[in-house]
Structure formats: C-alpha cells, structure tokens
Amino acid sequence: MIRVPEIIRAVPGIRVFGKRIKSLVFSTDVAIIRNIDADAVLAVYPFTPQPVITQAILGAADVPVFCGIGGGITRGKRVVNLAMDAEFKGAMGVVVNTPTENETIARVAETVDIPIIVTVVSEYEDFQSRLDAGASFFNVSGAAKTPQIVRRIKEQFPDVPVMATGGPNDESIRNTIEAGADAICYTPATNGEIFKQLMDKYRANIAHQAEEEEP
C-alpha cells in the first residue's frame, strides 16, 4: 500500500454527504487508486474529459471520487453534460478548472446536486463571484504560493471549505495546513517510479545471490 503522509491527518477535513474527507489522491491511475489509503480521489487530467474515463475511475475506486469536467479546454454545454454524467455514474463532486466562466458554473449548479469544486491558482481571483455562481468549495493549486492563496481565502471566507495541494514534503504540507486548508491533495509517485524501485530491489537480490553462489 501507498501511505499518504501522516501529517495530513491533522487537517479538520471536509464533510460531504456525511463522509469526512481529509486526504485526496491526485491520480487517474487505477492501480494507484486501488492501492493507496487516501480518503478520496481527485480525478483531474489535462485532456478533454471523457465519460469512459470517468466510468473507469469510478468503477475501480473504493473511495469517493471528485471528477474533473473541464472548464479550460472544454467549455459551455459540454461541461454541464459531463457534470450530469459524472453525477449519474456516482461521483461525489465535480471539479472545474480555473478558466471556467461563472455562467457555466451557474448552469452546472442548476443541473446537479453534488458539490462543485472550483480550482484556484491565484490569490487575486474573484472568490465571491465563484461562490455566488454556485461553487461549493475551492481546490487551491498554486504551487509554492498555495499556502498564501489558502490563507487569503480563509481570511475572507472562513466557513468555505478549501482543499489544497500539499507539496513535496511534510514541511510544505504543514505550511498549507497552518494556512487553513481543510483537506490535502497528495500526488504519489507514479506507477513507473514505484516499479523502478521494485525492479532495482529484484536486481540487487539476484546479484547478491549470484555472489554468494560463486566458488
């Protein structure tokens, strides 16, 4: 099993439909999703969202899934249709990207009953207009500035739940938590990276056995 950093358990969590979410794995790899102890899945990817991908992830996951429905490359009516499809397939929430227009968020809010999560990349975004349009909470992805953005949101809207990327180590995760994040998105090592570690171990074992067998 892949273990999410223990420090993530310090966050208060976001309660959705009676479930408290503290950690989310940022991945669309079903093998990773099935072998990590995160509370939920953040299934967002840099391609046009497709219902078949949503179906595959929801079918493989044994924890709640928040599905990306576009908003950047994909816009307008298709975003609304993808949101409806994700809800029908069992997603716990839908995630729209930063460029998504407020009008589109409002149309999604009129169509589905599951939470709408809006991705935020800058502290200068108009958070109020997002909430007015129907955003349920925010997903902060600001690289090194993530804690700063989280803090800015919490100063203005202390009761609005915020999930955020935790960064590469315990210190960066701690900074994000102290800024006010309610849940942390964790990016694990890729399938290829984990496999490399495993194969290196196998090679070392075989080499060790060969040395012991030499006269």
Short mmCIF file of all heavy atoms in Angstrom, two decimals, residues 13-17 19 21 24 40-42 65-67 92-96 105 113-120 127 130-140 153-154 157-164 181-185:
data_model
loop_
_atom_site.label_atom_id
_atom_site.label_comp_id
_atom_site.label_asym_id
_atom_site.label_seq_id
_atom_site.Cartn_x
_atom_site.Cartn_y
_atom_site.Cartn_z
N GLY A 13 -10.68 18.39 7.82
CA GLY A 13 -11.46 17.61 6.87
C GLY A 13 -12.64 18.38 6.31
O GLY A 13 -13.06 19.40 6.84
N ILE A 14 -13.14 17.88 5.19
CA ILE A 14 -14.33 18.44 4.55
C ILE A 14 -15.41 17.37 4.58
O ILE A 14 -15.21 16.26 4.10
CB ILE A 14 -14.03 18.84 3.08
CG1 ILE A 14 -12.96 19.93 3.04
CG2 ILE A 14 -15.30 19.31 2.39
CD1 ILE A 14 -12.49 20.26 1.64
N ARG A 15 -16.56 17.71 5.13
CA ARG A 15 -17.65 16.74 5.23
C ARG A 15 -18.56 16.85 4.00
O ARG A 15 -19.12 17.92 3.74
CB ARG A 15 -18.45 16.94 6.51
CG ARG A 15 -19.48 15.83 6.75
CD ARG A 15 -20.14 15.97 8.12
NE ARG A 15 -19.20 15.68 9.20
CZ ARG A 15 -18.89 14.46 9.61
NH1 ARG A 15 -19.41 13.40 9.00
NH2 ARG A 15 -18.06 14.27 10.60
N VAL A 16 -18.67 15.76 3.26
CA VAL A 16 -19.52 15.72 2.06
C VAL A 16 -20.42 14.50 2.16
O VAL A 16 -19.94 13.38 2.26
CB VAL A 16 -18.67 15.64 0.78
CG1 VAL A 16 -19.57 15.68 -0.46
CG2 VAL A 16 -17.64 16.76 0.72
N PHE A 17 -21.73 14.74 2.16
CA PHE A 17 -22.70 13.65 2.27
C PHE A 17 -22.39 12.73 3.44
O PHE A 17 -22.46 11.50 3.33
CB PHE A 17 -22.77 12.84 0.97
CG PHE A 17 -23.21 13.65 -0.23
CD1 PHE A 17 -22.46 13.64 -1.40
CD2 PHE A 17 -24.36 14.43 -0.18
CE1 PHE A 17 -22.86 14.38 -2.50
CE2 PHE A 17 -24.76 15.18 -1.27
CZ PHE A 17 -24.01 15.16 -2.44
N LYS A 19 -19.57 12.04 4.86
CA LYS A 19 -18.22 11.48 4.90
C LYS A 19 -17.21 12.61 5.11
O LYS A 19 -17.29 13.63 4.45
CB LYS A 19 -17.90 10.73 3.61
CG LYS A 19 -18.78 9.51 3.37
CD LYS A 19 -18.36 8.80 2.10
CE LYS A 19 -19.24 7.60 1.83
NZ LYS A 19 -19.10 6.55 2.87
N ILE A 21 -13.64 14.00 4.54
CA ILE A 21 -12.52 13.83 3.62
C ILE A 21 -11.35 14.67 4.11
O ILE A 21 -11.45 15.89 4.21
CB ILE A 21 -12.89 14.28 2.19
CG1 ILE A 21 -14.18 13.59 1.71
CG2 ILE A 21 -11.74 14.04 1.24
CD1 ILE A 21 -14.10 12.12 1.59
N LEU A 24 -6.84 13.47 -0.30
CA LEU A 24 -7.26 13.08 -1.64
C LEU A 24 -6.04 12.72 -2.46
O LEU A 24 -5.03 13.43 -2.42
CB LEU A 24 -8.01 14.23 -2.35
CG LEU A 24 -9.28 14.74 -1.69
CD1 LEU A 24 -8.96 15.99 -0.85
CD2 LEU A 24 -10.33 15.09 -2.73
N ALA A 40 -10.17 9.93 -0.52
CA ALA A 40 -10.93 10.20 -1.75
C ALA A 40 -9.96 10.35 -2.91
O ALA A 40 -8.74 10.38 -2.72
CB ALA A 40 -11.78 11.45 -1.59
N VAL A 41 -10.52 10.47 -4.11
CA VAL A 41 -9.74 10.61 -5.33
C VAL A 41 -10.06 11.94 -6.00
O VAL A 41 -11.24 12.30 -6.12
CB VAL A 41 -10.04 9.47 -6.32
CG1 VAL A 41 -9.28 9.66 -7.63
CG2 VAL A 41 -9.72 8.11 -5.70
N LEU A 42 -9.02 12.66 -6.41
CA LEU A 42 -9.19 13.86 -7.23
C LEU A 42 -8.78 13.47 -8.65
O LEU A 42 -7.60 13.41 -8.97
CB LEU A 42 -8.32 15.00 -6.70
CG LEU A 42 -8.42 16.33 -7.47
CD1 LEU A 42 -9.83 16.90 -7.36
CD2 LEU A 42 -7.40 17.34 -6.94
N VAL A 65 -15.02 9.79 -5.29
CA VAL A 65 -14.26 10.38 -6.39
C VAL A 65 -14.82 11.75 -6.75
O VAL A 65 -16.04 11.92 -6.89
CB VAL A 65 -14.30 9.48 -7.65
CG1 VAL A 65 -13.54 10.13 -8.80
CG2 VAL A 65 -13.74 8.10 -7.34
N PHE A 66 -13.90 12.72 -6.87
CA PHE A 66 -14.25 14.05 -7.38
C PHE A 66 -13.71 14.11 -8.81
O PHE A 66 -12.50 14.02 -9.03
CB PHE A 66 -13.63 15.14 -6.52
CG PHE A 66 -14.17 15.17 -5.11
CD1 PHE A 66 -13.58 14.41 -4.11
CD2 PHE A 66 -15.28 15.95 -4.80
CE1 PHE A 66 -14.08 14.43 -2.81
CE2 PHE A 66 -15.79 15.97 -3.51
CZ PHE A 66 -15.19 15.22 -2.52
N CYS A 67 -14.60 14.24 -9.78
CA CYS A 67 -14.23 14.12 -11.19
C CYS A 67 -14.06 15.48 -11.85
O CYS A 67 -14.90 16.37 -11.71
CB CYS A 67 -15.32 13.36 -11.95
SG CYS A 67 -15.46 11.64 -11.49
N MET A 92 -18.77 11.90 -6.26
CA MET A 92 -19.15 12.65 -5.06
C MET A 92 -19.17 14.15 -5.33
O MET A 92 -19.85 14.91 -4.63
CB MET A 92 -18.20 12.34 -3.91
CG MET A 92 -18.50 13.12 -2.65
SD MET A 92 -17.63 12.51 -1.18
CE MET A 92 -18.77 11.24 -0.62
N GLY A 93 -18.41 14.60 -6.33
CA GLY A 93 -18.36 16.02 -6.68
C GLY A 93 -17.73 16.19 -8.04
O GLY A 93 -17.14 15.25 -8.58
N VAL A 94 -17.87 17.37 -8.60
CA VAL A 94 -17.25 17.67 -9.89
C VAL A 94 -16.31 18.86 -9.73
O VAL A 94 -16.56 19.76 -8.92
CB VAL A 94 -18.30 17.96 -10.98
CG1 VAL A 94 -19.06 16.69 -11.34
CG2 VAL A 94 -19.27 19.07 -10.56
N VAL A 95 -15.23 18.84 -10.51
CA VAL A 95 -14.19 19.86 -10.40
C VAL A 95 -14.07 20.60 -11.72
O VAL A 95 -13.91 19.97 -12.78
CB VAL A 95 -12.83 19.22 -10.05
CG1 VAL A 95 -11.78 20.30 -9.81
CG2 VAL A 95 -12.96 18.31 -8.84
N VAL A 96 -14.15 21.93 -11.67
CA VAL A 96 -13.96 22.74 -12.87
C VAL A 96 -12.64 23.49 -12.77
O VAL A 96 -12.19 23.84 -11.68
CB VAL A 96 -15.12 23.75 -13.09
CG1 VAL A 96 -16.42 23.00 -13.37
CG2 VAL A 96 -15.29 24.68 -11.90
N ILE A 105 -20.53 27.70 -14.42
CA ILE A 105 -20.67 27.18 -13.06
C ILE A 105 -22.12 27.24 -12.61
O ILE A 105 -22.65 26.30 -12.00
CB ILE A 105 -19.77 27.96 -12.08
CG1 ILE A 105 -18.29 27.75 -12.43
CG2 ILE A 105 -20.04 27.54 -10.64
CD1 ILE A 105 -17.33 28.60 -11.63
N ASP A 113 -26.79 18.01 -8.17
CA ASP A 113 -26.94 18.22 -6.73
C ASP A 113 -25.67 17.91 -5.95
O ASP A 113 -25.65 18.07 -4.73
CB ASP A 113 -28.08 17.35 -6.19
CG ASP A 113 -29.45 17.80 -6.68
OD1 ASP A 113 -29.64 19.02 -6.86
OD2 ASP A 113 -30.31 16.94 -6.92
N ILE A 114 -24.64 17.44 -6.62
CA ILE A 114 -23.38 17.15 -5.95
C ILE A 114 -22.53 18.43 -5.90
O ILE A 114 -22.77 19.37 -6.67
CB ILE A 114 -22.61 16.01 -6.65
CG1 ILE A 114 -22.39 16.33 -8.13
CG2 ILE A 114 -23.36 14.70 -6.48
CD1 ILE A 114 -21.61 15.26 -8.89
N PRO A 115 -21.55 18.50 -5.00
CA PRO A 115 -20.73 19.71 -4.86
C PRO A 115 -19.97 20.07 -6.13
O PRO A 115 -19.54 19.18 -6.89
CB PRO A 115 -19.76 19.36 -3.72
CG PRO A 115 -20.45 18.29 -2.95
CD PRO A 115 -21.23 17.50 -3.97
N ILE A 116 -19.79 21.37 -6.33
CA ILE A 116 -18.99 21.89 -7.44
C ILE A 116 -17.73 22.50 -6.84
O ILE A 116 -17.81 23.43 -6.03
CB ILE A 116 -19.76 22.96 -8.24
CG1 ILE A 116 -21.07 22.37 -8.77
CG2 ILE A 116 -18.90 23.50 -9.37
CD1 ILE A 116 -22.01 23.43 -9.32
N ILE A 117 -16.58 21.98 -7.24
CA ILE A 117 -15.31 22.46 -6.72
C ILE A 117 -14.62 23.28 -7.80
O ILE A 117 -14.45 22.80 -8.92
CB ILE A 117 -14.41 21.28 -6.28
CG1 ILE A 117 -15.09 20.46 -5.18
CG2 ILE A 117 -13.07 21.78 -5.80
CD1 ILE A 117 -15.88 19.29 -5.67
N VAL A 118 -14.26 24.49 -7.47
CA VAL A 118 -13.60 25.37 -8.43
C VAL A 118 -12.11 25.43 -8.11
O VAL A 118 -11.72 25.74 -6.99
CB VAL A 118 -14.21 26.79 -8.39
CG1 VAL A 118 -13.45 27.73 -9.34
CG2 VAL A 118 -15.68 26.74 -8.77
N THR A 119 -11.28 25.16 -9.11
CA THR A 119 -9.84 25.23 -8.93
C THR A 119 -9.36 26.67 -8.94
O THR A 119 -9.79 27.47 -9.78
CB THR A 119 -9.12 24.43 -10.05
OG1 THR A 119 -9.55 23.07 -9.99
CG2 THR A 119 -7.62 24.49 -9.88
N VAL A 120 -8.47 26.99 -8.01
CA VAL A 120 -7.95 28.35 -7.84
C VAL A 120 -6.43 28.31 -7.97
O VAL A 120 -5.78 27.45 -7.36
CB VAL A 120 -8.35 28.91 -6.46
CG1 VAL A 120 -7.68 30.24 -6.21
CG2 VAL A 120 -9.85 29.04 -6.35
N PHE A 127 -13.14 35.38 -5.64
CA PHE A 127 -13.73 34.23 -4.95
C PHE A 127 -15.23 34.40 -4.74
O PHE A 127 -15.99 33.45 -4.84
CB PHE A 127 -13.03 34.02 -3.61
CG PHE A 127 -11.54 33.91 -3.71
CD1 PHE A 127 -10.71 34.81 -3.05
CD2 PHE A 127 -10.95 32.91 -4.46
CE1 PHE A 127 -9.33 34.71 -3.15
CE2 PHE A 127 -9.58 32.79 -4.56
CZ PHE A 127 -8.76 33.71 -3.90
N ARG A 130 -17.34 33.41 -7.66
CA ARG A 130 -17.39 31.95 -7.81
C ARG A 130 -18.44 31.35 -6.87
O ARG A 130 -19.23 30.48 -7.25
CB ARG A 130 -16.02 31.34 -7.50
CG ARG A 130 -14.89 31.74 -8.43
CD ARG A 130 -15.24 31.56 -9.86
NE ARG A 130 -14.07 31.20 -10.68
CZ ARG A 130 -14.13 30.98 -11.98
NH1 ARG A 130 -15.29 31.07 -12.61
NH2 ARG A 130 -13.06 30.65 -12.67
N LEU A 131 -18.45 31.82 -5.64
CA LEU A 131 -19.42 31.33 -4.68
C LEU A 131 -20.84 31.72 -5.08
O LEU A 131 -21.78 30.92 -4.97
CB LEU A 131 -19.09 31.87 -3.29
CG LEU A 131 -17.75 31.39 -2.69
CD1 LEU A 131 -17.43 32.18 -1.43
CD2 LEU A 131 -17.80 29.90 -2.38
N ASP A 132 -21.00 32.94 -5.56
CA ASP A 132 -22.31 33.40 -6.00
C ASP A 132 -22.83 32.57 -7.18
O ASP A 132 -24.04 32.35 -7.32
CB ASP A 132 -22.25 34.88 -6.40
CG ASP A 132 -22.00 35.80 -5.22
OD1 ASP A 132 -22.20 35.36 -4.07
OD2 ASP A 132 -21.58 36.96 -5.45
N ALA A 133 -21.90 32.10 -8.02
CA ALA A 133 -22.29 31.32 -9.19
C ALA A 133 -22.71 29.90 -8.81
O ALA A 133 -23.42 29.23 -9.57
CB ALA A 133 -21.15 31.27 -10.19
N GLY A 134 -22.26 29.43 -7.64
CA GLY A 134 -22.66 28.10 -7.20
C GLY A 134 -21.55 27.19 -6.74
O GLY A 134 -21.78 26.00 -6.47
N ALA A 135 -20.33 27.71 -6.64
CA ALA A 135 -19.21 26.90 -6.15
C ALA A 135 -19.48 26.44 -4.72
O ALA A 135 -19.94 27.23 -3.89
CB ALA A 135 -17.91 27.68 -6.22
N SER A 136 -19.19 25.18 -4.44
CA SER A 136 -19.38 24.64 -3.09
C SER A 136 -18.14 24.86 -2.24
O SER A 136 -18.24 25.21 -1.07
CB SER A 136 -19.68 23.14 -3.17
OG SER A 136 -20.77 22.88 -4.01
N PHE A 137 -16.97 24.64 -2.82
CA PHE A 137 -15.71 24.95 -2.16
C PHE A 137 -14.60 25.04 -3.19
O PHE A 137 -14.83 24.86 -4.39
CB PHE A 137 -15.37 23.97 -1.03
CG PHE A 137 -15.46 22.51 -1.35
CD1 PHE A 137 -14.36 21.80 -1.78
CD2 PHE A 137 -16.65 21.82 -1.17
CE1 PHE A 137 -14.42 20.45 -2.04
CE2 PHE A 137 -16.73 20.46 -1.43
CZ PHE A 137 -15.61 19.77 -1.87
N PHE A 138 -13.38 25.32 -2.72
CA PHE A 138 -12.27 25.61 -3.62
C PHE A 138 -11.20 24.52 -3.56
O PHE A 138 -10.97 23.91 -2.52
CB PHE A 138 -11.63 26.96 -3.28
CG PHE A 138 -12.54 28.13 -3.51
CD1 PHE A 138 -12.98 28.90 -2.44
CD2 PHE A 138 -12.95 28.47 -4.78
CE1 PHE A 138 -13.81 29.98 -2.63
CE2 PHE A 138 -13.80 29.56 -4.99
CZ PHE A 138 -14.23 30.31 -3.92
N ASN A 139 -10.54 24.34 -4.71
CA ASN A 139 -9.38 23.47 -4.81
C ASN A 139 -8.20 24.35 -5.19
O ASN A 139 -8.11 24.83 -6.32
CB ASN A 139 -9.62 22.40 -5.88
CG ASN A 139 -8.36 21.65 -6.25
OD1 ASN A 139 -7.55 21.30 -5.39
ND2 ASN A 139 -8.17 21.41 -7.55
N VAL A 140 -7.30 24.58 -4.26
CA VAL A 140 -6.18 25.50 -4.48
C VAL A 140 -4.98 24.75 -5.02
O VAL A 140 -4.50 23.79 -4.41
CB VAL A 140 -5.80 26.25 -3.19
CG1 VAL A 140 -4.60 27.16 -3.45
CG2 VAL A 140 -6.98 27.05 -2.67
N ILE A 153 -8.06 33.10 1.06
CA ILE A 153 -9.45 32.65 1.01
C ILE A 153 -10.05 32.56 2.39
O ILE A 153 -11.17 33.03 2.64
CB ILE A 153 -9.54 31.28 0.30
CG1 ILE A 153 -9.12 31.39 -1.17
CG2 ILE A 153 -10.96 30.72 0.39
CD1 ILE A 153 -9.02 30.07 -1.88
N LYS A 154 -9.30 31.98 3.32
CA LYS A 154 -9.82 31.78 4.67
C LYS A 154 -10.03 33.10 5.42
O LYS A 154 -10.90 33.20 6.28
CB LYS A 154 -8.89 30.86 5.45
CG LYS A 154 -9.04 29.39 5.08
CD LYS A 154 -10.43 28.89 5.40
CE LYS A 154 -10.59 27.41 5.21
NZ LYS A 154 -11.93 26.93 5.59
N PHE A 157 -13.34 34.18 3.68
CA PHE A 157 -14.46 33.25 3.79
C PHE A 157 -14.08 32.09 4.71
O PHE A 157 -13.79 30.98 4.25
CB PHE A 157 -14.83 32.71 2.40
CG PHE A 157 -15.04 33.78 1.37
CD1 PHE A 157 -14.02 34.10 0.48
CD2 PHE A 157 -16.23 34.48 1.29
CE1 PHE A 157 -14.19 35.08 -0.48
CE2 PHE A 157 -16.42 35.48 0.34
CZ PHE A 157 -15.40 35.78 -0.55
N PRO A 158 -14.05 32.33 6.01
CA PRO A 158 -13.57 31.31 6.95
C PRO A 158 -14.39 30.03 6.97
O PRO A 158 -13.89 28.98 7.37
CB PRO A 158 -13.64 32.04 8.31
CG PRO A 158 -14.60 33.17 8.09
CD PRO A 158 -14.44 33.59 6.68
N ASP A 159 -15.65 30.10 6.53
CA ASP A 159 -16.51 28.92 6.59
C ASP A 159 -16.55 28.13 5.28
O ASP A 159 -17.21 27.09 5.21
CB ASP A 159 -17.94 29.34 6.96
CG ASP A 159 -18.02 29.96 8.35
OD1 ASP A 159 -17.24 29.53 9.22
OD2 ASP A 159 -18.85 30.86 8.55
N VAL A 160 -15.86 28.62 4.27
CA VAL A 160 -15.85 27.92 2.97
C VAL A 160 -14.76 26.85 2.99
O VAL A 160 -13.59 27.17 3.23
CB VAL A 160 -15.62 28.90 1.81
CG1 VAL A 160 -15.45 28.14 0.50
CG2 VAL A 160 -16.77 29.89 1.70
N PRO A 161 -15.10 25.60 2.75
CA PRO A 161 -14.09 24.53 2.74
C PRO A 161 -13.07 24.74 1.63
O PRO A 161 -13.40 25.19 0.53
CB PRO A 161 -14.91 23.26 2.51
CG PRO A 161 -16.31 23.62 2.91
CD PRO A 161 -16.46 25.06 2.56
N VAL A 162 -11.82 24.38 1.93
CA VAL A 162 -10.74 24.52 0.96
C VAL A 162 -9.89 23.25 0.97
O VAL A 162 -9.39 22.84 2.01
CB VAL A 162 -9.84 25.73 1.30
CG1 VAL A 162 -8.64 25.77 0.35
CG2 VAL A 162 -10.62 27.04 1.21
N MET A 163 -9.74 22.64 -0.21
CA MET A 163 -8.75 21.58 -0.38
C MET A 163 -7.57 22.19 -1.12
O MET A 163 -7.75 23.13 -1.89
CB MET A 163 -9.33 20.38 -1.15
CG MET A 163 -9.73 20.69 -2.57
SD MET A 163 -10.12 19.20 -3.55
CE MET A 163 -11.58 18.63 -2.73
N ALA A 164 -6.38 21.67 -0.89
CA ALA A 164 -5.20 22.29 -1.49
C ALA A 164 -4.09 21.27 -1.68
O ALA A 164 -4.00 20.28 -0.94
CB ALA A 164 -4.70 23.43 -0.60
N ALA A 181 -5.98 25.10 5.24
CA ALA A 181 -6.56 24.08 4.37
C ALA A 181 -7.36 23.06 5.18
O ALA A 181 -6.95 22.65 6.26
CB ALA A 181 -5.47 23.37 3.58
N ASP A 182 -8.50 22.67 4.65
CA ASP A 182 -9.36 21.69 5.31
C ASP A 182 -9.07 20.26 4.85
O ASP A 182 -9.39 19.30 5.54
CB ASP A 182 -10.83 22.01 5.03
CG ASP A 182 -11.23 23.37 5.56
OD1 ASP A 182 -11.33 23.51 6.79
OD2 ASP A 182 -11.41 24.30 4.75
N ALA A 183 -8.49 20.11 3.65
CA ALA A 183 -8.12 18.80 3.12
C ALA A 183 -6.90 18.98 2.22
O ALA A 183 -6.69 20.06 1.65
CB ALA A 183 -9.28 18.18 2.34
N ILE A 184 -6.12 17.93 2.09
CA ILE A 184 -4.87 18.00 1.32
C ILE A 184 -4.92 17.02 0.15
O ILE A 184 -5.28 15.85 0.31
CB ILE A 184 -3.65 17.66 2.21
CG1 ILE A 184 -3.48 18.71 3.31
CG2 ILE A 184 -2.39 17.56 1.37
CD1 ILE A 184 -3.11 20.09 2.82
N CYS A 185 -4.54 17.53 -1.02
CA CYS A 185 -4.40 16.69 -2.21
C CYS A 185 -2.96 16.21 -2.31
O CYS A 185 -2.04 17.03 -2.34
CB CYS A 185 -4.77 17.48 -3.47
SG CYS A 185 -6.44 18.16 -3.44
#
